[in-house]
Amino acid sequence: MSEPPHYCEGAALVETGDGFFRPVSRPARDFGVLLARTLAAGGAEGPVRVLDGMAGCGIRALRYGLEGAATAVWANDADPNRLPLLERNLARLPQAVERQLSVCTALQLLAGCLVEGRRFELVDLDAFGCPADLVTLSLEAVAFGGVHYLACTDGRSATGHDRRAAVRRFGAAARAHPASWEIALRLQLGLLARAAWAMGRGLTPLLSFSEGRAFRTAVRLERHPASAEEGQLGLVAHCHGCGDRRCRAC
Ligand SMILES: C[S@@+](CC[C@H](N)C(=O)[O-])C[C@H]1O[C@@H](n2cnc3c(N)ncnc32)[C@H](O)[C@@H]1O
C-alpha cells in the first residue's frame, strides 16, 4: 500500500487528511510559533503549555512542540474523524513534550478547563466564523502574562457588509470602509478587550493581521487593566469628501 501524502512546513511533517487544511495559512502558523518562542524566551524556565482548541490535522500543535519550545500541547477538534490523524501526526512530537488529545467542541473543552482550573501560556483558537461565544471562557484559560491567539473568518459582518450580525457578535457595526480589514481587526480587539475588562483583566495587543479572509489577533492577558486602557479602543474614520481618515477640514 502506498504512503498517504505528507506535507512539510517548518520542522513539521504531517498528513493533512481529507478535512480542512490550507497551506496558504502558513504565516498564521509561523506567527503562532513565534508567539510561543517569545513566551519560552521570557518565561524564566517556566512551562509553555499550549491549547490548540480547533486543531484540524494537528499541524499547529506539532509545530508548537517542535519549533515553539512548548513543554505541553493539548490538541482538540470537534470532528471525531480527525482523531486518528491527530494521533498519527502528534506521534512526531518530541518525547519530552506532554501531550493530550481530545474530541469535543471548543465550548465543552474550555468549560472543562474552567471547572478543572487549567490554564495555558498560549491558547490558540483557529475558528471558522466568529467565535464571540467562546471569548470569555478562552480568556479564562490563559495564564496571566500568557497569549490568546484568535482567528475569525467572519469577514462579512466585521467589514460592514452585515451590520446586524456585527452588532450581535461584536457589539458594534462599522460602515464599509476603504480600510475595512483594519476595522474588522479593531472590532475583534474590542470584543476581546471588553471580555477581559468584564473579568477585571487587561490586555496588551501583540499582533493583528489579515489577508482578507481570516482576521487574526494575538493579545497578552494582564492581571489588571492598565490605567485608562479603555481609551485605547478606537476605530478609523473616513471622510467621503476628501478621503482623509481623520478629516478636520470637511
Ligand atoms: C480553520 S480549521 C483549523 C485549521 C488548523 N488550525 C490549521 O492551522 O491547519 C478549524 C477546525 O475547527 C474544527 N471545529 C469547527 N467547529 C469547532 C468547534 N465548535 N469546536 C472545536 N473545533 C471545531 C473543524 O473541524 C476544523 O478542523
Side-chain angles (χ1 to χ4, degrees):
M1 235 171 69
S2 64
E3 280 261 303
H6 282 74
Y7 168 78
C8 188
E9 182 179 289
L13 182 69
V14 292
E15 287 174 51
T16 54
D18 301 328
F20 181 92
F21 178 73
R22 297 185 86 228
V24 293
S25 300
R26 174 171 185 168
R29 292 186 285 270
D30 289 346
F31 275 127
V33 169
L34 284 173
L35 290 165
R37 287 184 74 106
T38 307
L39 285 164
E45 297 180 18
V48 178
R49 299 161 295 183
V50 179
L51 182 63
D52 184 1
M54 300 185 176
C57 68
I59 188 167
R60 288 178 185 229
L62 182 57
R63 290 193 62 193
Y64 286 131
L66 290 172
E67 301 167 61
T71 54
V73 294
W74 185 335
N76 173 77
D77 199 278
D79 180 354
N81 296 327
R82 288 259 153 172
L83 189 58
L85 184 67
L86 274 176
E87 282 168 347
R88 285 198 298 280
N89 284 335
L90 295 195
R92 295 173 194 266
L93 278 169
Q95 280 291 315
V97 179
E98 275 179 50
R99 71 213 60 186
Q100 186 146 352
L101 303 183
S102 56
V103 174
C104 58
T105 67
L107 192 60
Q108 290 167 325
L109 174 77
L110 294 166
C113 291
L114 180 67
V115 170
E116 291 163 14
R118 288 180 192 266
R119 295 225 155 63
F120 300 83
E121 280 64 43
L122 176 56
V123 172
D124 180 337
L125 288 183
D126 187 21
F128 292 143
C130 174
D133 56 330
L134 300 179
V135 164
T136 300
L137 277 178
S138 57
L139 286 171
E140 281 284 0
V142 180
F144 293 134
V147 173
H148 187 276
Y149 187 29
L150 178 71
C152 173
T153 59
D154 172 19
R156 263 186 67 71
S157 57
T159 57
H161 295 95
D162 185 348
R163 300 184 69 198
R164 285 189 197 169
V167 169
R168 288 197 296 270
R169 291 169 194 155
F170 299 101
R175 285 176 180 271
H177 186 287
S180 59
W181 297 358
E182 177 173 344
I183 298 272
L185 290 166
R186 285 172 178 270
L187 285 174
Q188 193 171 317
L189 261 180
L191 173 70
L192 289 163
R194 284 191 304 275
W197 294 333
M199 293 157 60
R201 309 297 175 208
L203 288 186
T204 302
L206 299 177
L207 62 90
S208 295
F209 66 102
S210 177
E211 79 311 25
R213 188 189 160 277
F215 297 83
R216 304 184 192 269
T217 299
V219 296
R220 188 169 62 231
L221 183 71
E222 312 291 357
R223 192 180 287 264
H224 303 293
S227 157
E229 194 169 296
E230 318 74 53
Q232 293 176 20
L233 267 190
L235 297 172
V236 181
H238 174 68
C239 173
H240 288 279
C242 70
D244 198 339
R245 298 287 155 86
R246 282 185 191 219
C247 181
R248 290 177 196 88
C250 294

